[in-house]
Amino acid sequence: MADTLTFYTNPMSRGQIARWALHEAGADYDQVLLDYGDSMKAASYLAINPMGKVPAIKHGDEVVTEAAAICAYLAVAFPQAGLAPLAAEQADYYRWMFFAAGPIEAAIMNNSFDWIPTEQQQQMVGYGDYDRVINVLDELFATRNFVCGDRFTAADIYVGSQIDWGIQFKTMPKRDTLVAYVSRFRDRPAYKQAKAIDAGLMAEPKDAPDGAGQSD
């Protein structure tokens, strides 16, 4: 696709997931940096994402929000990158990407905020309890190298980011299987490129221009 791709982000956000996905996809993009005070809640951006959250991308006339959806969209929009699942990989691809967007995300956030569901509440929350989620991930990566088996896909960008951050910020335990999984993608050129850009942006003075219209 030759349409212009615009990437809305903040380096200290889940925008890091989308940037990694953009680099894995080999997509050319213009970036718009938004702050949490004004520009993320401005009318111009709310027209892109009414939630006032990042990341978001605009690809031609199409807008995609939510990091998992952006990963899945880019895998299809840039097929030459080989990020989309093969026919035999689709079940694992969608199952575990949605598992990361639902149970993993909820379990980590609630646990970080010290909200531990009671036994009765565990029947209502989608993830049951935090330990169950971690054990499921432990068992998954004890049997495979990547989400879909031996091949890296867009699902690994999203699932991998959740585990990568979980280990880094100590919201997940350093299980041997999870540490080994993360080590398999941290040396990927696209991962390093994307992380270097966001690290550089975080190091810039806070009163620097917001970067609207800058190109990667």
Side-chain angles (χ1 to χ4, degrees):
M1 270 177 101
D3 293 323
T4 299
L5 195 156
T6 304
F7 171 43
Y8 302 87
T9 189
N10 181 293
M12 297 181 67
S13 75
R14 291 171 178 79
Q16 290 188 31
I17 302 173
R19 191 187 296 277
W20 179 18
L22 286 162
H23 283 256
E24 289 285 358
D28 292 326
Y29 62 90
D30 297 325
Q31 83 177 3
V32 177
L33 298 181
L34 303 173
D35 61 61
Y36 285 100
D38 299 320
S39 57
M40 211 175 288
K41 307 301 181 186
S44 58
Y45 183 63
L46 291 177
I48 299 293
N49 185 0
M51 288 294 291
K53 298 279 190 177
V54 291
I57 62 171
K58 186 173 183 182
H59 192 197
D61 294 328
E62 304 298 327
V63 172
V64 187
T65 66
E66 311 309 318
I70 291 171
C71 291
Y73 174 84
L74 291 172
V76 174
F78 296 89
Q80 68 277 8
L83 297 172
L86 303 175
E89 298 169 335
Q90 289 185 8
D92 284 335
Y93 179 89
Y94 290 111
R95 176 186 180 182
W96 297 111
M97 186 179 288
F98 282 97
F99 182 76
I104 294 176
E105 174 87 8
I108 289 176
M109 295 306 298
N110 287 345
N111 194 67
S112 298
F113 294 146
D114 294 322
W115 187 76
I116 311 301
T118 65
E119 185 173 346
Q120 183 177 7
Q121 289 169 333
Q122 289 176 24
Q123 299 174 27
M124 296 180 282
V125 295
Y127 62 89
D129 63 44
Y130 172 84
D131 289 336
R132 186 182 308 179
V133 169
I134 300 301
N135 289 336
V136 166
L137 287 173
D138 193 357
E139 292 167 4
L140 177 68
F141 291 109
T143 63
R144 63 187 68 189
N145 289 328
F146 295 106
V147 169
C148 294
D150 290 326
R151 195 176 74 87
F152 182 92
T153 67
D156 292 291
I157 301 172
Y158 191 72
V159 176
S161 291
Q162 295 277 12
I163 298 174
D164 195 15
W165 284 346
I167 291 172
Q168 181 181 351
F169 294 109
K170 301 181 179 179
T171 58
M172 280 190 181
K174 281 189 173 182
R175 300 275 181 95
D176 289 345
T177 56
L178 303 184
V179 171
Y181 169 57
V182 167
S183 71
R184 294 184 194 112
F185 59 70
R186 280 184 173 172
D187 284 334
R188 294 181 66 84
Y191 176 94
K192 290 183 174 181
Q193 292 163 4
K195 291 296 182 182
I197 291 171
D198 281 317
L201 290 170
M202 284 186 276
E204 290 182 357
K206 299 303 180 185
D207 59 351
D210 71 0
Q214 290 183 359
S215 298
D216 171 60

